[in-house]
């Protein structure tokens, strides 16, 4: 096809902000009752709510239906980042879903075959949303759900206690808080409660401040007597070791994902009759690959034991696959699907448990719920039905970028991983000798990773002639403990250096215009973008979304309990290194910023509250730097409303157009000094 030359950035594209917002309706958390498969799915067009959807394995061509009607919103606020918000069990009239309702954080029971509306299972606390529930499992006998309960007990963000509790399914606790039984208490944080197949033992993961769950956790096992955990043993984990998942293989054996060797590998833990450890955990697959990830959300399952003794596991470096592990040999046989990224949401389905469920994607495949037969290896998409194993063009397939995973050389000759998305448009090209603008995307966390997948938000820019490079800077997961610990005491240094190194490398290769480089990020990525704009001259402008801007404020009460001491590892001990906190904070260096920017913030954000943005802008007042501040009602940490997603994209593109000198047909956002 002959392409028409137009300046980079001004290429017409059918991928508009509304299409991006609709694309955000991605599936999560698959679960099954025999042949019936459910999952959670966000709905930006419905106020950002999370719906529950379902289909059936044994009904070829069955439509996907929404089970939980609007305005119900299956989303938990435990740790503010939430996690798996529901569990399935069986009732007299068919399947029953027990879920956390976002609006009041109570647990509700809903049977689509019998109930006209969900019925509450937990009481309404005196302080709204003071009790929150996540990672639900069905208790022994099927008459209770057991889960992690987070109780907010005072005005400070750190006034929080957590426990594993049992909630009766008969609804008796809705009006009687005493009907909820405490099963186990432990350290300040709890995750991954799992009952042994015979119901006699309970395992869980715990950790305490100042550690984060990817730094140091403990795997506990207790005997269950009269519905309570007794005689607790520590069977894995410790200092400089993080257990991130554990599942029962049989009543005396656990498979846990932990990293004493520097990589999250599956280990087998054999227990004695009294619940102690028979021997040290045995690494089943000693590979320099990750079989787990950071516990930002409760309920992730990167591995699932199978009935035949094998283990289904998500694994890889940078990208991930799903394979079947033979514990005796360590051999892995990967599923033959086109997906290059699998999330930690595995589950078993089918009457015989012979189907593996997961959420997967690829550069040309949008995230979807995938069912893989454990019998013959065939696969099919459940959330986007098509023939078994059949490929299908992704939305806007011709307009998607052609990404490449790269390893760049950074400061001190260290490797820096990044995904490069060059501009691509099937109908347009750029004038000869023009280099494209590039935007460095910085993921959040900072203990996280930018996967290389079908992403219409990336394509929104690349299809208009703006390159994107997503940098997995030092501190990212997917590359082993040593790589993610590069950020220890170096947040705001290593991450910025790595982003600058990648941007400059693209310029030196002739792939990017040195005068048209930008940086953007949200949350921890917003921090890195702000530090880069206040501390380097590499970027001509930036997009800063719901950021950390003041380390001192963040450390002294301006964030939630989960991350309230995260800076101890990222920056240094408090208050001994207070000067370091002050010196690195963009709010203390606002006078050094010279580049235009847009600042985007949710007004209900409990993690990175708007007060930090307001403080930063006050320090910037009178400096003459063109900028725009957009604050959104009804948004928390990360944008979920369709109107917000559209407005944020328009503001970002408008910034680049004004600074880089190209025209667009999208609304212009005024940049005021």
């Amino acid at each position: 096809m002959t392409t028409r030359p137009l300046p980079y950035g001004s290429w017409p594209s059918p991928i508009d902000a509304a299409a991006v917002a609709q694309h955000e309706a991605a599936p999560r958390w698959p679960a099954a009752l025999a042949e019936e498969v459910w999952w959670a799915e966000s709905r930006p067009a419905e106020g950002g709510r999370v719906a529950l959807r379902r289909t059936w394995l044994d009904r070829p061509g069955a439509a996907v239906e929404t089970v939980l009607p609007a305005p119900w919103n299956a989303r938990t606020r435990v740790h503010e980042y939430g996690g798996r918000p529901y569990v399935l069990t069986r009732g007299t009239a068919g399947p029953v879903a027990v879920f956390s309702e976002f609006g009041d954080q109570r647990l509700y029971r809903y049977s689509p075959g019998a109930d006209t509306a969900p019925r509450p299972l937990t009481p309404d606390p005196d302080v709204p949303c003071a009790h929150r529930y996540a990672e639900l499992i069905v208790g022994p006998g099927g008459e209770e759900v057991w889960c992690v309960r987070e109780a907010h007990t005072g005005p400070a963000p750190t006034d929080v206690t957590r426990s594993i509790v049992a909630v009766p399914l008969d609804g008796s606790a809705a009006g009687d808080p005493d009907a909820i039984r405490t099963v186990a208490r432990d350290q300040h944080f709890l995750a991954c409660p799992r009952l042994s197949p015979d119901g006699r033992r309970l395992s869980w993961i715990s950790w305490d401040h100042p550690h984060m769950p990817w730094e140091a956790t403990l795997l506990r096992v207790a005997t269950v007597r009269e519905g309570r955990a007794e005689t607790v043993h520590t069977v894995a984990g410790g200092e400089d070791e993080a257990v991130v998942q554990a599942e029962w293989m049989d009543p005396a054996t656990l498979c846990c994902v932990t990293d004493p060797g520097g990589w999250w590998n599956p280990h087998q833990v054999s227990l004695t009759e009294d619940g102690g450890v028979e021997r040290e955990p045995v690494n089943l697959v000693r590979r320099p690959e990750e079989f787990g990830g950071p516990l930002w959300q409760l309920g992730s399952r990167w591995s699932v034991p199978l009935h035949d003794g094998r283990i289904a596991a998500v694994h890889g470096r940078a990208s991930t696959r799903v394979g079947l592990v033979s514990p005796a040999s360590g051999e892995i046989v990967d599923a033959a699907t086109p997906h290059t990224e699998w999330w930690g949401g595995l589950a078993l389905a089918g009457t015989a448990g012979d189907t593996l469920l997961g959420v997967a994607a690829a550069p040309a495949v949008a995230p979807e719920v995938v069912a893989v037969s454990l019998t013959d290896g065939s696969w099919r998409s459940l959330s986007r039905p098509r023939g078994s194993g059949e490929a299908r063009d992704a939305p806007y397939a011709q307009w998607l970028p052609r990404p490449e995973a790269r390893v760049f050389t950074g400061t001190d000759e260290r490797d820096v991983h990044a995904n490069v998305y060059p501009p691509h448009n099937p109908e347009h090209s750029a004038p000869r000798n023009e280099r494209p603008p590039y935007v460095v995307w910085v993921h959040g966390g900072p203990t996280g990773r930018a996967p290389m997948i079908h992403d219409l938000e990336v394509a929104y820019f690349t299809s208009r002639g703006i390159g994107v490079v997503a940098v997995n800077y030092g501190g990212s997961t997917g590359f082993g403990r040593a790589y993610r610990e590069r950020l220890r005491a170096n947040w705001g240094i290593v991450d910025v250096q790595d982003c600058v190194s990648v941007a400059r490398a693209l310029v030196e290769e002739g792939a990017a215009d040195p005068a048209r480089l930008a940086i953007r990020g949200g949350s921890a990525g917003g921090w890195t973008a702000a530090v880069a704009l206040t501390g380097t001259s590499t970027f001509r402008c930036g997009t800063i979304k719901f950021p950390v801007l003041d380390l001192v404020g963040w450390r002294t009460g301006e964030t939630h309990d989960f991350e309230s001491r995260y800076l101890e590892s990222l920056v240094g001990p408090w208050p001994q290194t207070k000067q370091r906190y002050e010196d690195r904070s963009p709010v203390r260096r606002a006078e050094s910023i010279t580049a235009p920017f847009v600042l985007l913030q949710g007004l209900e954000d409990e993690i990175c509250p708007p007060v930090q943005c307001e403080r930063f802008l006050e320090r910037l007042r009178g400096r003459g730097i063109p900028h725009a501040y957009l604050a959104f009602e009804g948004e928390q940490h990360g944008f979920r409303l369709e109107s917000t997603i559209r407005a944020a994209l328009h503001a970002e593109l408008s910034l680049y157009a004004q600074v880089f000198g190209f025209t667009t047909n999208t609304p212009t956002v005024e940049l005021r000094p």
Side-chain angles (χ1 to χ4, degrees), residues 126-161:
D126 294 336
V127 177
C129 300
H131 292 172
R132 306 170 185 183
Y133 307 85
E135 202 157 6
L136 286 64
I137 62 173
V138 178
E143 296 180 352
E144 300 173 324
V145 291
W146 292 16
C147 58
V148 175
R149 181 177 66 183
E150 180 179 271
H152 292 249
T153 59
T158 52
D159 292 337
V160 179
T161 63

Side-chain angles (χ1 to χ4, degrees), residues 111-479:
S111 176
D115 299 330
T116 56
R119 294 178 289 162
L121 294 182
T122 56
D124 196 4
D126 294 336
V127 177
C129 300
H131 292 172
R132 306 170 185 183
Y133 307 85
E135 202 157 6
L136 286 64
I137 62 173
V138 178
E143 296 180 352
E144 300 173 324
V145 291
W146 292 16
C147 58
V148 175
R149 181 177 66 183
E150 180 179 271
H152 292 249
T153 59
T158 52
D159 292 337
V160 179
T161 63
R162 296 177 182 86
S163 55
I164 298 172
V165 299
V167 178
L169 284 169
D170 62 9
S172 58
D176 179 12
D178 292 338
I180 297 177
R181 184 179 68 260
T182 298
V183 176
R185 289 191 176 94
D186 197 358
Q187 293 178 289
H188 193 57
F189 297 97
L190 300 168
C192 202
R194 298 289 189 270
L195 274 164
S196 61
D198 59 6
R200 294 177 56 238
R201 288 170 172 166
L202 177 71
S203 65
W204 67 87
I205 294 168
S206 69
W207 68 97
D208 211 343
H209 283 314
H211 295 305
M212 297 301 288
W214 44 85
E215 295 172 346
T217 65
L218 300 174
L219 175 58
R220 311 283 208 185
V221 172
T223 301
V224 176
R225 292 191 179 91
E226 298 181 354
R228 287 181 169 83
E230 300 180 358
T231 318
V232 179
H233 294 269
T234 299
V235 300
E239 287 293 324
D240 299 317
E241 180 182 345
V243 183
V244 293
Q245 186 193 355
E247 304 290 341
W248 290 93
M249 301 175 71
D250 60 48
T253 311
L254 279 161
C255 174
C256 71
V257 179
T258 186
D259 66 342
W263 295 87
W264 278 314
N265 284 181
H267 290 65
Q268 181 172 303
V269 180
S270 300
L271 305 178
T272 60
E273 182 61 33
D274 66 355
V277 183
E278 185 176 287
R279 59 179 182 273
E280 286 295 307
V282 177
N283 192 337
L284 299 177
V285 187
R286 195 175 299 276
R287 288 193 181 193
E289 292 185 5
E290 301 286 36
F291 288 72
L295 279 179
W296 282 105
Q297 294 187 309
L298 299 187
S300 294
R301 287 193 178 105
W302 294 274
S303 61
V304 176
L306 307 180
H307 301 310
D308 61 7
R310 293 179 299 170
I311 301 165
V314 174
H315 68 105
R317 297 179 61 166
S319 64
T320 55
R321 304 171 299 283
V322 68
L324 302 181
V325 178
S326 297
S329 64
E331 180 187 10
I332 303 177
V333 178
D334 288 329
T337 82
H339 307 92
T340 57
E341 189 71 34
W342 290 75
W343 281 267
L346 297 184
L348 293 179
T351 304
D354 56 359
T355 300
L356 178 68
L357 303 176
V359 176
V365 180
E368 58 186 357
V369 178
V370 178
V372 179
S373 170
L374 298 174
T375 303
D376 60 17
S378 62
W379 69 275
R380 57 182 163 132
S381 173
L382 299 180
S383 54
R384 296 194 301 142
R386 50 194 189 269
S388 179
E390 175 188 339
R392 186 177 76 175
D393 283 346
Y396 306 99
Q398 290 183 301
W399 303 83
L400 298 178
R402 310 297 190 254
E404 180 184 3
R406 297 277 306 275
V407 181
F408 294 90
T409 300
T411 303
D412 299 328
E413 300 299 308
R414 62 176 178 252
D415 289 345
V416 181
H417 296 266
N419 301 324
V420 181
Y421 300 84
H424 172 76
N425 186 305
E427 298 177 357
H428 295 279
S429 58
R432 185 173 298 181
N433 298 325
E434 182 184 354
R435 294 192 193 182
Y438 255 85
V439 184
V440 171
W441 282 28
V442 194
H443 66 70
T447 306
R449 179 171 63 87
M452 192 167 70
I453 61 171
H454 175 283
D455 187 338
L456 285 191
E457 189 173 14
V458 172
Y460 178 82
F461 296 99
T462 58
S463 63
R464 287 169 167 79
I466 303 169
V468 169
V469 56
V471 181
N472 283 313
Y473 49 87
S476 302
T477 52
F479 311 96

